[in-house]
Amino acid sequence: MLDDRDRKILSLLQSDGGMSVAELADIVNLSVSACSRRILRLESEGYILGRKAVLDRTKMGVPTTVFALVKTARHGDDWLAAFHRAIANIPEIVEAHRLTGNHDYILKIVLPRVEHYDVIYKQIIRQVELFDVSASISMEALKESGALPVGYAV
């Protein structure tokens, strides 16, 4: 069961995964060793799955975001496996979600420029048959924290 200090540690690590244990301990009013033990427990219990660096997309050369909405007429295991393989091997596809409603999948694609979307589109359709794909270009990211709310954790 998590307490308020655990939640604070999780929140702080989401905002800055490189924060030292000493800094965390100071903020949550724990000794360094007690804070370190809590972090290890949070990792072993699966609350913390890993740590990663957040890269600057402009400096990485992929400032453009396109969301592709995908419809398929096929839902069999073979098609699904091929679709998973296709999107897994395209690094520009940074997120993929199966949906309810009018579309089957949404892909978040990061690109050097919007014209590069056609390259990604062709990579996908060479590997799997799609019924329909429509794409929308993100004009502005209003929120991209990636941080999860910690208040619901049990």
Side-chain angles (χ1 to χ4, degrees), residues 5-24:
R5 283 188 173 144
D6 291 332
R7 286 182 180 85
K8 183 70 173 176
I9 290 169
L10 291 170
S11 182
L12 290 165
L13 285 174
Q14 281 191 109
S15 65
D16 182 1
M19 187 179 287
S20 73
V21 176
E23 289 174 293
L24 282 168

Side-chain angles (χ1 to χ4, degrees), residues 21 25 29-37:
V21 176
N29 296 315
L30 288 172
S31 69
V32 172
S33 60
C35 187
S36 180
R37 284 192 301 274

Side-chain angles (χ1 to χ4, degrees), residues 5 7 13 23 35 55 57 82 102 106 109 119 135 143:
R5 283 188 173 144
R7 286 182 180 85
L13 285 174
E23 289 174 293
C35 187
L55 305 180
R57 289 192 26 206
N102 295 329
I106 187 169
I109 306 169
V119 172
K143 182 176 180 181

Side-chain angles (χ1 to χ4, degrees), residues 11-83:
S11 182
L12 290 165
L13 285 174
Q14 281 191 109
S15 65
D16 182 1
M19 187 179 287
S20 73
V21 176
E23 289 174 293
L24 282 168
D26 186 49
I27 293 169
V28 298
N29 296 315
L30 288 172
S31 69
V32 172
S33 60
C35 187
S36 180
R37 284 192 301 274
R38 280 183 184 246
I39 293 168
L40 290 173
R41 179 179 53 79
L42 292 167
E43 289 173 338
S44 70
E45 292 177 0
Y47 290 97
I48 300 172
L49 298 178
R51 300 180 200 192
K52 54 185 165 185
V54 178
L55 305 180
D56 182 293
R57 289 192 26 206
T58 301
K59 289 184 180 183
M60 297 308 298
V62 287
T64 303
T65 303
V66 172
F67 292 95
L69 291 161
V70 176
K71 289 183 185 181
T72 179
R74 302 184 54 198
H75 297 277
D77 291 341
D78 290 344
W79 183 91
L80 189 56
F83 184 66

